[in-house]
Amino acid sequence: MTESFHSSCIQGAKSVLSLARASLSHQLAGRGGSAHLGYPDTAYELPVAFGLTDLKVSTLADGEKVLDLAEGLLRNAPTLENALEAGAATLLAADVLGALSHKDGNPFSPPSVGFVPDSILRKLGIFMVDGTVPGVAVAIGRATDPAAAAAMVRQFQEIGLLVFLAGDVAQQMEKAGVKLGDDFKTFPLGPLPAVIHAVNFAVRAGLTFGGIGRGQTQAMYNYLSQRVKAFVCALGPMDEIGLAVIAGAMKAGFPVLADRNLPEIPGALLRSPAGEEMVRAGMEARGIKAKIVKVPIPIAFGPAYEGERIRKSDTYAEFGGGRGPAYELVVSAPLSEVRDKEIVVVGPDIPDMPKGGTLPLGIVVTVSGNRMQKDFESVLEQRIHRIVNYGEGTMHVAPRDTTWIRVSCEAQAKGFRLADLGMMLYAKMHADFENIVDRVSVTIHTREEDVQRGMAFAKTVYAERDARAKTLTDDTVEEFYSCTLCQSFAPNHVCIVAPERLGLCGAINWLDGKAGYEITPTGPNQPVMKGAVLDPVKGAWDGVNAFVREHSRNTVPGFNLYSIMDAPMTSCGCFECILALIPEANGVMAVNREFEGSETPCGMGFSTLAGSVGGGAQTPGFMGVGKHYLLSKRFLAAEGGLPRLVWMTKEMKEYLGADLAARAAEIGMPGLVDMIADETVAVTPEQLLLHLKKVGHPALSMPPLL
Amino acid sequence: MTVPLPKQAYPGRILPVTLPAGPGGTPVTVGGQNALSLAPEGEKPNAAAIGMEVRTGGGDLPPALAKAFECRATDPVSLAGACANDWGAQFLFLSLDGCHPDGGGQPVEEGARIVHEVLAAVSCPVIVGGCGEEETDAKLFPAVAESAGRPVFLSYADEKNYRLVGGAALAYGHGVVAWSPIDINMAKQANLLLSDLGVPPERILIDPLTGGLGYGLEYTYSIVERIRLAGLSGDAMLARPVLCHLGDAWKAREAVDASETSWGDAVLRGRRWEETTGWACLAAGADLLVFRHPGNVEAFREAAWR
C-alpha cells in the first residue's frame, strides 16, 4: 500500500506537470515566449519558484525553465523520497499553472479568490507573527459529511486560524453557511489545484517575514516546516493529483491529516476522522495552542491576591493542614493518556459542606507535552502554591502531603467550587509553562479512602523524586544553569546554579534553572557547559569561568563554586543568608535575612553585612548563599565543609533542624550541631572562642583559614 | 615627565543604524562608534542625532511649550513641519497619544491618516510612537505600518507586544524601537526576541526608558552606560544605538508648575529641565535624543562635543 501511494504521488505530479506544459504551450503559441508570466499584486514573481529555486521568472519562456526543473525532480521508483521530490515538482508546476490561469486576473467565480495578493499577506502576516492567528488550516478535497466539515471549519475560525479551502469543500462550506472572506480569515481558493495559492502564500510569508532571499531553498523549507504553523486536512477520496498535492504539502513540512485510508507517516501523514478529532490532531501536530484569555471562575484571580491570608473565622472550607489528609501531585504522562482541560471532582464538593467544614483532599495534575521532562514535575508542582494563592479567597500553605488549603466564605458565596480550583490550575499551568506543557488535566478527590489511596501513591512519587535529587550531583551533570535575573540591580553578578549549590536566593535550584531555560530560552537561565575541571575540590571549571567572564562583562574572571576564601561566587543582594569569616575562630558564621539583631561575632548584623557583600562583588571571606547550601556535600568543600561552621542564628538552626543534624551525622560528627554557637551563647569573637574551646569545636583544629 | 593617558580599546563596536528619510530628505545614521561618548579615544563616525516629538493628542501644554509652539500646538502636521523645517530637528518622533482612550480616543484610522499626512509634509526620518494603551496599539501599529508610505521606525516593541510590532515592521519594511523598563536584561531580551522574529539588527534601536531629571534620570544614566559598555565589550544584542526620549522631563512638577513663583520663570524652567536631562543622556551615551522644546534642539545641535 505504501508503494502504491508513492507511485500515485509520482503519477499525480506527472499529471500536474503535463497540465502545466499543455497550458503553457497554448499561451506560448498565442502570446510568444517574451509575454509576461506572473501573478497580480505581488513582489515575488512566481513565489514558489522564487523561494525554492534560483530561477527568475517574468516571461512565459522563464515558466518553461521552471517546468524543466520540476521535471528533473521526478524519479519513477516508488520510494518515499521520490514521492516527496514529486511533491516539490507538483508545487513548482502548480505555481506555473496558477500564474498562467491568472493572465486576466482571478479565473474563478466568487466566492473563490484565487491568488491571495501581497496586501492581504502583509495584513494577515502581522497577526501570524504576533500569534493572534496561531496557525493555518488548509482543507482540500470533498467532505463526505459536509456538516461535520463545516463544524470543523467553524472551530478553526473560533480558534482564530487562517483557513484556506480548495476543491469541492469550498462550495460545500458556502452551502453549509460557513462565513467566508477576509473578515473571517477564511479563503476559498478554487478547485483543488488552486491549493497552490495556500502554498505560495506560505512561501511569501517566509520571504516577507522570515528574511529569506531568493533561492535560499533550505532556509525556505525550514521556515515552512517550523515557522508557518500550517496543516492540511485532506477530506474524502483523493485522486492522483490530490495525492501529489499531499506529497507537496509533506515536502513543505505541513503535516497532512486524512480521513481516508492512506498509509501513515509519523509526523507527516496522519489519519483522523474529519471533525473535532481532526482539529485536535492538527493543532497538536503543529504545536498550536489556543490562548486562554480569562480564567472562567467566579472569583478574581491574579498576583494581586497572592499575599491574602484567610483567617479561621472567614474560612468556609478547609482541606489538610493537619485537619485531615491532603496532598498535591503533578505527574507527567504520554500525550495519548491526557485529555486536555479534563477537570474531574470525585466526592463531596464545597456546596456540600457546612461553614467551617473540612474535607480530605487529593489534587492530581496530569500534564503532557513533547518537551515535558519527568524532572520538571516537581517544578510544576511547586507552582501550585502560587496558583492557588492567586485566587481571591483561596489560600495555600505548604507543599506535597503537608498541603493546607482554605476557601473563604466570600469565595463560597460567589459560588466557588473545587472544579474552579481545578480550572485555576489548568489555566495557569498552560500559561506559565506554555513551552513545555501541551495538555493538562486535573483530578480532585475528596473521599477519605480515595485520598488515602492517592496519597500512598504520591508518597512513592515523592520518594522517587528525592532519590533522584540525591543522584543529581555536580559531577553527574554536564551543564549548570546561570541566573542573571538580578543583573538589573547587580549588573555584573552571575549566579551559577549547580545541583549541589542552589541559587543564593534559595528560590532557584538546578531543576528550576533547567525548566526556566526550556520555558524561556532567551531568559535569565541559560545552560552553562562545565567544560574541563580546573579544580575538583574548590569547584572550578573552565566553561563556568568563561561564562562568568563573558556575562559579568569581563569584571569577574571566574570563581570557585565551593570556596569562600579563594575567588568565591559573587553575591547579588537576594541571598537568604550570609556566611562571614571569623578569623579568631578559624571558621565561618551564618546569619539569615530574617535575623533582626545587630550583634553577631563578626560585629555586624545581617543588613550591615549585606551592604558590604552584595552588588556583585567578589569578597573573599564573605558570601551570600541559599540556606539549603549549608546541607550540601559541597558546602565550603575547599575549606573543609560543615565543620567550619562555628556560629549560626538560632532561627536558622531550628529551620535546618533535623536535616542539619543528619548531615553532621553523615560526616561522622553527630554532636556538631550542638557545638555550633548561636546568639544566645556568643555575640562577640571572645565569647565565641570561649564557647568553641569549651565544647571542642573541630574548626579550632583545622588548617588555618588565613 | 609626561604620563601617557590610558586608552581603553574595546573589542566591540556599536552597529550603525540608518533612519531612512523621505524624498529629498537627509537620512540619519547613528552608531558605529567603538568607544564611550566623551572619552577621547576611539572612532565616532556619527554624532548623536537630535529629534523632536510631535504629539497628536490635545491636553494642556506646559507653559514653556505653549509659548514655543504658539498656534501650531493643536495641529500636528503644521507642528511637524515647523520642527523639521524651522527648528532643525533631524528626525521626528510622532506620538499618536491622541488615540489613547484617555487622550481623546481618536479612531485608529485617524491616527494612521495623521501619520500619512505628516510623512507627506516632512522629508526627515520619522519614528511613530503608539498611544501606550495595549488594545489600541494592537490595532494602531498594523494600521500605521500599512498606511505609512515610506519606511519609518515603530515605537515601541516590548516583551509583550514585540511580535505584533516586529511583524508589522517586517510586513512593510519598517524599523523597530525596542523598549525596556530601565533593565539591562530586558533590554537584551527585547533585542533577542526581535532577532528571533527575524527583524534585521540594522533596523532596531534601544529605548531604555528615560526618567526625567529628579524622577529617575540617574537610573537611566546608569543603564545607558551599562548597555553601551556591554555592547562595546562584545555583546552584539546590546551593541545597538540608544534612543533617549526626554518626554518624562515634562512630567516633573518643577518643569511645568507655574504656581511656584519662588522657583523662577516656568517658561525657562521647563526648557532647562528638559535640556539638563538631555545633557545627562548624551553624556551617558545616547545616540538619539527626542526633545519637545525647539530651543533645546538648537542648543544640542550646536554642542561641539556631542
Side-chain angles (χ1 to χ4, degrees):
Chain A
M1 177 177 144
T2 326
E3 265 190 21
S4 74
F5 168 71
H6 295 155
S7 91
S8 301
C9 292
I10 297 166
Q11 282 311 318
K14 287 181 179 167
S15 309
V16 176
L17 198 61
S18 53
L19 276 174
R21 286 251 190 244
S23 178
L24 182 63
S25 17
H26 180 72
Q27 289 202 19
L28 271 171
R31 303 168 55 210
S34 57
H36 174 73
L37 174 65
Y39 288 108
D41 306 317
T42 179
Y44 302 107
E45 305 165 4
L46 265 56
V48 176
F50 194 113
L52 296 180
T53 77
D54 47 15
L55 296 174
K56 280 192 183 151
V57 183
S58 61
T59 64
L60 293 178
D62 296 333
E64 207 148 29
K65 286 184 215 154
V66 177
L67 294 183
D68 291 344
L69 192 140
E71 184 139 25
L73 296 172
L74 294 175
R75 305 269 180 285
N76 281 326
T79 63
L80 176 60
E81 195 196 340
N82 288 348
L84 291 175
E85 285 305 295
T90 307
L91 299 182
L92 288 166
D95 214 21
V96 173
L97 195 58
L100 287 168
S101 71
H102 277 72
K103 180 167 66 79
D104 305 310
N106 176 15
F108 311 119
S109 49
S112 292
V113 297
F115 182 77
V116 182
D118 281 5
S119 56
I120 292 184
L121 163 83
R122 290 182 198 280
K123 223 177 256 174
L124 288 173
I126 297 175
F127 298 111
M128 286 167 70
V129 174
D130 174 39
T132 323
V133 174
V136 183
V138 184
I140 60 171
R142 179 185 176 79
T144 324
D145 178 356
M152 179 170 85
V153 171
R154 286 198 183 97
Q155 215 175 334
F156 290 152
Q157 292 177 330
E158 258 167 52
I159 297 162
L161 298 179
L162 172 60
V163 184
F164 291 115
L165 307 168
D168 292 347
V169 65
Q171 284 86 40
Q172 287 179 315
M173 293 305 102
E174 195 193 9
K175 220 173 265 172
V178 173
K179 297 196 171 79
L180 306 172
D182 286 26
D183 291 347
F184 307 97
K185 302 188 201 81
T186 304
F187 298 90
L189 298 170
L192 185 62
V195 72
I196 194 62
H197 305 310
V199 178
N200 67 36
F201 181 93
V203 168
R204 280 178 288 150
L207 296 168
T208 310
F209 294 94
I212 300 169
R214 181 195 292 277
Q216 293 181 309
T217 316
Q218 201 46 53
M220 180 53 77
Y221 276 129
N222 290 345
Y223 189 89
L224 294 177
S225 65
Q226 284 157 28
R227 294 280 181 122
V228 180
K229 297 198 165 163
F231 59 92
V232 176
C233 301
L235 307 175
M238 289 283 147
D239 61 9
E240 286 178 347
I241 291 184
L243 295 178
V245 166
I246 287 177
M250 291 195 298
K251 176 70 187 177
F254 303 154
V256 178
L257 310 154
D259 63 356
R260 283 305 164 102
N261 195 14
L262 295 178
E264 286 205 273
I265 302 169
L269 183 52
L270 309 164
R271 283 201 55 194
S272 168
E276 204 170 320
E277 194 80 359
M278 198 175 255
V279 176
R280 192 191 293 265
M283 303 264 289
E284 243 160 48
R286 290 326 311 249
I288 299 168
K289 283 171 197 171
K291 286 225 160 78
I292 303 159
V293 181
K294 194 185 169 297
V295 184
I297 52 170
I299 56 170
F301 184 65
Y305 307 104
E306 202 181 349
E308 175 199 31
R309 310 296 295 176
I310 298 170
R311 292 173 208 282
K312 187 150 187 65
S313 56
D314 300 329
T315 302
Y316 187 86
E318 198 161 7
F319 308 89
R323 285 152 191 81
Y327 72 95
E328 60 200 25
L329 181 68
V330 170
V331 289
S332 52
L335 272 174
S336 57
E337 289 172 26
V338 186
R339 281 191 74 85
D340 190 48
K341 213 177 175 176
E342 187 174 71
I343 295 163
V344 184
V345 178
V346 186
D349 201 340
I350 296 171
D352 310 320
M353 298 166 73
K355 181 181 180 304
T358 63
L359 272 180
L361 184 72
I363 302 174
V364 179
V365 180
T366 312
V367 301
S368 73
N370 291 326
R371 295 173 69 188
M372 178 66 194
Q373 298 180 19
K374 200 156 180 54
D375 275 349
F376 298 160
E377 289 175 356
S378 60
V379 177
L380 269 63
E381 194 176 293
Q382 281 165 18
R383 192 62 63 94
I384 293 179
H385 173 68
R386 190 188 285 172
I387 298 173
V388 176
N389 278 325
Y390 270 13
E392 186 186 16
T394 51
M395 181 180 90
H396 181 280
V397 184
R400 290 189 170 180
D401 53 357
T402 59
T403 191
W404 176 23
I405 293 177
R406 275 180 168 174
V407 175
S408 73
C409 294
E410 207 189 325
Q412 184 272 340
K414 286 179 183 161
F416 186 84
R417 348 172 35 135
L418 288 172
D420 298 316
L421 186 76
M423 178 52 77
M424 286 156 63
L425 293 169
Y426 163 79
K428 209 73 182 115
M429 286 290 175
H430 263 302
D432 289 1
F433 299 101
E434 188 183 16
N435 276 359
I436 50 180
V437 165
D438 293 334
R439 292 184 180 184
V440 178
S441 70
V442 182
T443 310
I444 297 175
H445 285 283
T446 56
R447 284 198 203 103
E448 175 86 24
E449 62 275 20
D450 294 337
V451 174
Q452 291 294 0
R453 198 176 325 118
M455 181 130 79
F457 171 72
K459 280 183 173 165
T460 65
V461 178
Y462 302 148
E464 268 171 45
R465 261 186 222 161
D466 292 342
R468 158 84 175 135
K470 283 211 170 72
T471 66
L472 270 183
T473 66
D474 292 3
D475 294 333
T476 56
V477 300
E478 286 304 313
E479 84 284 6
F480 296 155
Y481 286 88
S482 67
C483 183
T484 50
L485 201 61
C486 294
Q487 284 202 344
S488 40
F489 58 89
N492 297 322
H493 169 70
V494 181
C495 242
I496 295 291
V497 182
E500 292 179 272
R501 181 167 177 179
L502 78 169
L504 51 75
C505 57
I508 292 183
N509 64 27
W510 186 81
L511 282 176
D512 296 314
K514 192 173 154 97
Y517 171 63
E518 289 291 334
I519 294 159
T520 319
T522 54
N525 302 125
Q526 294 292 320
V528 180
M529 297 316 289
K530 287 192 298 183
V533 182
L534 300 177
D535 190 324
V537 179
K538 288 181 180 169
W541 293 265
D542 66 358
V544 172
N545 285 352
F547 188 96
V548 170
R549 200 156 46 237
E550 186 191 336
H551 291 265
S552 68
R553 302 170 226 293
N554 276 325
T555 40
V556 183
F559 44 56
N560 296 315
L561 248 66
Y562 316 139
S563 177
I564 188 174
M565 297 307 296
D566 182 11
M569 194 187 295
T570 56
S571 306
C572 48
C574 330
F575 30 74
E576 278 188 301
C577 60
I578 297 173
L579 301 177
L581 171 73
I582 309 289
E584 297 87 341
N586 201 31
V588 301
M589 57 163 270
V591 55
N592 57 311
R593 183 172 290 272
E594 297 81 11
F595 183 70
E596 285 172 0
S598 58
E599 291 194 314
T600 72
C602 79
M604 291 179 270
F606 180 89
S607 49
T608 318
L609 264 175
S612 51
V613 176
Q618 198 167 31
T619 324
F622 298 88
M623 184 162 75
V625 296
K627 283 176 185 166
H628 284 262
Y629 177 53
L630 271 63
L631 305 173
S632 165
K633 289 191 174 77
R634 308 288 191 167
F635 173 69
L636 302 188
E639 282 84 24
L642 196 59
R644 284 290 182 186
L645 195 58
V646 292
W647 189 94
M648 69 198 296
T649 60
K650 206 165 173 356
E651 200 177 349
M652 260 187 90
K653 213 187 239 189
E654 279 162 12
Y655 173 80
L656 294 174
D659 293 332
L660 191 65
R663 177 70 194 132
E666 199 179 1
I667 58 170
M669 297 182 179
L672 181 64
V673 178
D674 293 331
M675 294 182 202
I676 301 171
D678 60 33
E679 68 271 25
T680 63
V681 175
V683 290
T684 65
E686 295 76 23
Q687 293 168 346
L688 176 63
L689 206 56
L690 269 177
H691 166 82
L692 297 178
K693 279 183 182 152
K694 192 175 88 195
V695 297
H697 192 286
L700 296 177
S701 52
M702 291 171 81
L705 277 178
L706 285 177
Chain B
M1 175 185 149
T2 55
V3 180
L5 281 172
K7 280 190 182 169
Q8 175 86 40
Y10 294 96
R13 187 180 282 275
I14 306 307
L15 188 77
V17 170
T18 299
L19 284 69
T26 314
V28 165
T29 300
V30 290
Q33 66 270 46
N34 65 353
L36 292 178
S37 63
L38 301 191
E41 70 267 1
E43 295 155 24
K44 288 160 197 150
N46 300 300
I50 310 303
M52 285 189 78
E53 183 185 21
V54 173
R55 298 188 179 188
T56 60
D60 288 341
L61 279 177
L65 295 179
K67 187 157 188 290
F69 293 170
E70 295 172 340
C71 57
R72 301 180 193 89
T74 52
D75 179 1
V77 181
S78 123
L79 185 60
C83 291
N85 305 324
D86 306 336
W87 295 332
Q90 292 168 273
F91 67 94
L92 291 186
F93 191 108
L94 179 58
S95 296
L96 300 178
D97 59 332
C99 294
H100 196 288
D102 303 337
Q106 280 169 351
V108 165
E109 299 72 32
E110 174 74 1
R113 190 188 57 77
I114 296 175
V115 172
H116 194 78
E117 283 181 25
V118 167
L119 285 171
V122 301
S123 57
C124 67
V126 173
I127 300 173
V128 182
C131 72
E133 201 272 323
E134 210 178 316
E135 276 178 38
T136 310
D137 280 350
K139 298 188 194 104
L140 196 52
F141 282 118
V144 166
E146 189 186 353
S147 68
R150 61 176 164 104
V152 297
F153 272 65
L154 302 174
S155 172
Y156 48 75
D158 64 10
E159 203 185 14
K160 273 193 192 156
N161 72 356
Y162 75 95
R163 289 174 177 279
L164 177 89
V165 180
L170 284 169
Y172 300 96
H174 303 303
V176 180
V177 177
W179 181 90
S180 46
I182 315 194
D183 183 320
I184 190 167
N185 277 318
M186 291 175 76
K188 180 168 177 173
Q189 196 186 8
N191 278 282
L192 269 170
L193 293 169
L194 286 169
S195 299
D196 279 357
L197 211 58
V199 180
E202 67 280 2
R203 281 186 5 217
I204 301 176
L205 297 170
I206 296 177
D207 177 351
L209 172 57
T210 304
L213 174 63
Y215 293 82
L217 173 61
E218 57 276 40
Y219 295 96
T220 300
Y221 189 98
S222 163
I223 278 294
V224 171
E225 203 176 43
R226 278 162 49 198
I227 287 174
R228 185 47 39 88
L229 281 168
L232 291 173
S233 306
D235 189 335
M237 284 301 152
L238 292 171
R240 313 249 163 106
V242 169
L243 174 142
C244 284
H245 188 297
L246 306 171
D248 270 8
W250 296 101
K251 289 183 188 159
R253 191 161 82 88
E254 293 83 342
V256 298
D257 194 345
S259 67
E260 282 285 355
T261 46
S262 65
W263 291 353
D265 175 21
V267 170
L268 180 65
R269 210 184 327 129
R271 182 174 83 69
R272 288 283 197 211
W273 209 265
E274 184 184 54
E275 184 185 356
T276 314
T277 308
W279 290 126
C281 292
L282 193 59
D287 299 282
L288 300 121
L289 292 165
V290 181
F291 290 93
R292 294 186 75 189
H293 198 288
N296 286 334
V297 176
E298 201 181 342
F300 275 71
R301 288 208 61 175
E302 284 167 8
W305 53 272
R306 74 187 166 94

